[in-house]
């Protein structure tokens, strides 16, 4: 049952990655441009208006903000399974609007109707996974997203040559498949035992835990594990309010979760994922769909490495390594962007740095931000903490995606063309992200969620809550350097 539950959550996250990359890739198709763009007499070509492009790529963040709060309420009130069910219904509606779109307003509306997967999937994966494997299981969320992106990029690379609107409608039409499957199967997975215990439903929680454990597990061992889990969860049953996020035991971890979500987006991932195909197309050096396909493949390799290492070397080492590689790739991209506009080698170098940046981001900041977000907050405050963190994340993502077209369209009055020099902006923020991770990111590998909570709970030993150093800082800069090599 653990495998089945994880697999269904994986498939659901897969559909999010499929849809996200479908939107990103299809906007670079000529048929898409003819349908939703404007004809420019000066060039004799169709082009997407910068305002449309900005909204098309950034409006999903607004929809996700609503989805995070609505999904959080559904998940907290009615359970994880109900939230996945509602999310899948939501996804079917979004896909239906997009497939039938003929105007800018219609496809923007479909883009805004984005799913609420952030509110439930990372949290559920962390709650049902054993402590020794929780990091690797939680990383599956981002792996699923990238696998979905890789597959849809392969599809769009094949359909882009179709002259009709079928070129982009075929990829969008496939978005109906996975939600239909999830809607039928979600009721067969186990509910989160922790969610049930937090609502005083002990018999159901025991049965859910039984389903998630091996069938040959002795009854006495199962009972002992359940009693221990119940004891730990019972300490968190007290009612919590929004102000509790900022009390002494909680404000540091609230700060870490929120800022990690900020830096995950501020370092430019939205530029790479949402505009990567368009960005490479404007460079006119390499097939943009081939580059996007290669980038998704590279990302998957990075995530697999992260899944194997996260519970071995720990969270901190991967965060630091990711930041160092990101900063180097982005700064190099910025330097290459200062070369002459006709320098083909410089353009190819920029594409290479874009892929290295994407690899390094997927190695650490991409998946581990969700891991930390699911692990660090206390159970009663998890939904509220993540709602604030995801709000900050999505606002930052909106800012990055909305501003990009205005920095890449010099032929429009008031706009500029930065090209690869964007690397200087995002690279500087990536350097700050490294400092944040080094001084504030805790180490939580192989710890039960309730044990992490205990590290921040006031006790007779004040040293336990004095600062983040009590969270087992086993990795140092030497480990980071060895991994980066």
């Amino acid at each position: 049952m653990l495998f089945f539950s994880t697999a269904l959550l994986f498939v659901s996250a897969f559909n999010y990655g499929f849809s996200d990359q479908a939107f990103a890739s299809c906007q670079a198709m000529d048929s898409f441009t003819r349908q939703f763009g404007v004809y420019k007499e000066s060039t004799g070509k169709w082009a997407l208006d910068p305002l449309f492009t900005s909204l098309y790529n950034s409006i999903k963040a607004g929809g996700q903000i609503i989805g995070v709060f609505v999904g959080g309420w559904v998940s907290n009130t009615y359970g994880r399974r109900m939230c996945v069910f509602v999310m899948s219904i939501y996804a079917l509606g979004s896909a239906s609007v997009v497939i039938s779109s003929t105007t800018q307003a219609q496809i923007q509306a479909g883009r805004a109707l984005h799913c609420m997967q952030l509110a439930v999937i990372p949290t559920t994966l962390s709650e049902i996974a054993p402590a020794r494997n929780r990091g690797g299981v939680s990383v599956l969320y981002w792996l699923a997203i990238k696998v979905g992106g890789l597959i849809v990029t392969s599809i769009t690379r094949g359909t882009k040559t179709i002259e009709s609107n079928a070129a982009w409608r075929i990829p969008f039409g496939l978005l109906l498949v996975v939600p239909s499957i999830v809607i039928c199967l979600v009721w067969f997975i186990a509910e989160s035992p922790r969610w049930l215990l937090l609502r005083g439903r002990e018999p159901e929680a025991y049965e859910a835990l039984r389903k998630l454990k091996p069938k040959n597990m002795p009854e006495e061992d199962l009972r002992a594990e359940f009693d221990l889990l119940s004891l730990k969860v019972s300490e968190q049953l007290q009612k919590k309010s929004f102000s509790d996020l900022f009390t002494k035991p909680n404000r540091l971890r609230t700060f870490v979760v929120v800022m990690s979500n900020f830096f995950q987006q501020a370092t430019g991932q939205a530029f790479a994922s949402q505009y990567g195909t368009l960005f490479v197309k404007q460079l006119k050096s390499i097939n943009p769909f081939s580059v996007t396909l290669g980038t998704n493949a590279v990302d998957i390799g990075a995530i697999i490495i992260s899944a194997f290492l996260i519970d071995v070397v720990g969270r901190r080492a991967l965060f630091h390594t990711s930041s160092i590689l990101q900063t180097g790739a982005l700064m190099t991209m910025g330097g290459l962007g200062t070369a002459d506009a006709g320098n083909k080698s410089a353009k190819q170098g920029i594409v290479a740095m874009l892929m290295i940046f994407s690899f390094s981001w997927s190695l650490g900041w991409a998946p581990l931000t969700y891991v930390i977000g699911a692990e660090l907050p206390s159970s009663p405050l998890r939904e509220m903490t993540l709602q604030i963190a995801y709000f900050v994340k999505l606002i930052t993502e909106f800012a990055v995606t909305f501003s990009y077209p205005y920095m890449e369209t010099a032929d429009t009055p008031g706009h500029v063309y930065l090209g690869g020099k964007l690397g200087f902006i995002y690279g500087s923020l990536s350097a700050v992200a490294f400092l944040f991770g080094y001084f504030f990111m805790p180490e939580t590998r192989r710890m039960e969620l309730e044990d992490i909570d205990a590290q921040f709970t006031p006790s007779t030993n004040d040293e336990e809550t004095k600062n983040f150093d009590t969270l087992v800082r086993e990795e140092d800069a030497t480990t980071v350097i060895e991994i980066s090599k």
Side-chain angles (χ1 to χ4, degrees), residues 324-340:
I324 292 170
L325 293 176
Q326 275 184 214
T327 303
L330 289 168
M331 287 301 187
T332 303
M333 179 192 294
L336 292 170
T338 62
D340 184 83

Side-chain angles (χ1 to χ4, degrees), residues 30 46 49 151 191-192 294 318 404:
D30 293 336
W46 291 85
D49 181 75
I151 292 176
E191 183 58 88
S192 165
L318 287 177
Y404 170 79

Side-chain angles (χ1 to χ4, degrees), residues 1 81 189-193 196-197 201-213 219 222-223 226 229-230:
M1 180 56 74
R81 293 186 302 180
I189 70 173
E191 183 58 88
S192 165
L196 292 167
L197 282 172
R201 295 160 62 175
E202 287 82 3
E204 295 173 71
Y206 184 79
E207 288 304 313
L209 186 64
R210 181 198 296 275
K211 292 179 181 179
L212 292 170
K213 295 300 178 181
E219 186 72 22
L222 179 65
R223 174 56 66 180
F226 178 77
L229 180 62
S230 300

Side-chain angles (χ1 to χ4, degrees), residues 94-395:
S94 172
S96 299
V97 173
V98 171
I99 296 165
S100 61
S101 295
T102 57
T103 66
Q104 290 186 0
Q106 282 179 286
I107 199 163
Q108 296 284 31
R111 183 64 159 146
L113 292 172
H114 222 276
C115 62
M116 54 185 76
Q117 40 76 39
L118 270 176
V120 63
I121 296 181
T123 299
T124 307
L125 285 171
S126 69
E127 287 181 340
I128 66 175
R132 66 181 182 279
N133 305 121
R134 190 177 61 249
V137 171
S138 298
V139 167
L140 289 177
Y141 170 69
W142 194 249
L143 177 62
I145 290 174
K146 283 301 178 180
V147 170
L150 177 66
I151 292 176
V152 76
T153 302
S154 303
I155 294 171
T156 56
R157 190 178 187 276
T159 64
K160 69 181 178 65
T161 56
I162 300 175
E163 292 296 324
S164 68
N165 285 338
W168 53 270
R169 280 192 168 135
I170 290 173
F172 286 137
L174 294 173
L175 294 175
L176 297 170
V177 176
V178 170
S180 301
I181 296 173
V182 173
I183 286 170
C184 297
L185 298 180
V186 68
W187 303 112
F188 295 98
I189 70 173
E191 183 58 88
S192 165
R194 285 182 172 86
W195 181 85
L196 292 167
L197 282 172
L198 284 168
R199 280 135 193 93
R201 295 160 62 175
E202 287 82 3
E204 295 173 71
Y206 184 79
E207 288 304 313
L209 186 64
R210 181 198 296 275
K211 292 179 181 179
L212 292 170
K213 295 300 178 181
K215 291 183 178 180
N216 59 354
M217 187 176 187
E219 186 72 22
E220 58 271 20
D221 292 347
L222 179 65
R223 174 56 66 180
E225 184 170 338
F226 178 77
D227 290 342
L228 180 60
L229 180 62
S230 300
L231 179 64
K232 292 177 177 178
V233 171
S234 66
E235 300 172 0
Q236 304 171 12
L237 286 174
Q238 66 272 26
K239 185 70 174 177
K240 296 289 185 179
S241 64
F242 181 80
S243 60
D244 289 315
L245 292 171
F246 307 100
T247 59
K248 185 176 180 180
N250 295 312
R251 59 174 173 254
L252 288 176
R253 47 184 162 174
T254 300
F255 171 75
V256 170
V257 174
V258 171
M259 291 306 296
S260 63
N261 276 270
F262 167 77
F263 282 116
Q264 187 202 51
Q265 298 300 315
T267 51
Q269 85 77 23
F271 143 72
S273 63
Q274 301 300 315
Y275 294 106
T277 311
L278 276 179
F279 177 76
V280 176
K281 183 180 181 180
Q282 291 177 349
L283 291 175
K284 299 177 180 179
S285 60
I286 303 175
N287 186 314
F289 289 90
S290 297
V291 171
T292 304
L293 187 64
T295 300
N296 277 281
V298 164
D299 288 346
I300 289 173
I303 296 166
I304 292 173
I305 293 172
S306 180
F308 278 105
L309 291 181
I310 185 173
D311 290 314
V312 178
V313 302
R315 283 65 163 149
R316 282 175 54 80
L318 287 177
F319 268 118
H320 300 342
T321 304
S322 176
S323 295
I324 292 170
L325 293 176
Q326 275 184 214
T327 303
L330 289 168
M331 287 301 187
T332 303
M333 179 192 294
L336 292 170
T338 62
D340 184 83
N343 190 323
K344 186 175 181 179
S345 296
K347 291 181 178 180
Q348 292 173 340
I350 289 172
V351 173
M353 290 304 106
L354 182 66
M355 295 183 72
I356 293 174
F357 160 73
S358 192
F359 171 87
S360 57
W361 187 75
S362 294
L363 180 68
W365 280 94
L368 301 193
T369 296
Y370 299 113
V371 175
I372 288 294
E375 289 180 336
L376 212 55
S378 67
S379 294
L381 293 171
R382 185 168 292 124
E383 277 78 12
M384 282 189 283
T385 304
L386 292 179
Q387 284 172 355
I388 295 174
Y390 291 154
F391 178 81
V392 171
K393 161 193 161 67
L394 294 169
I395 288 294

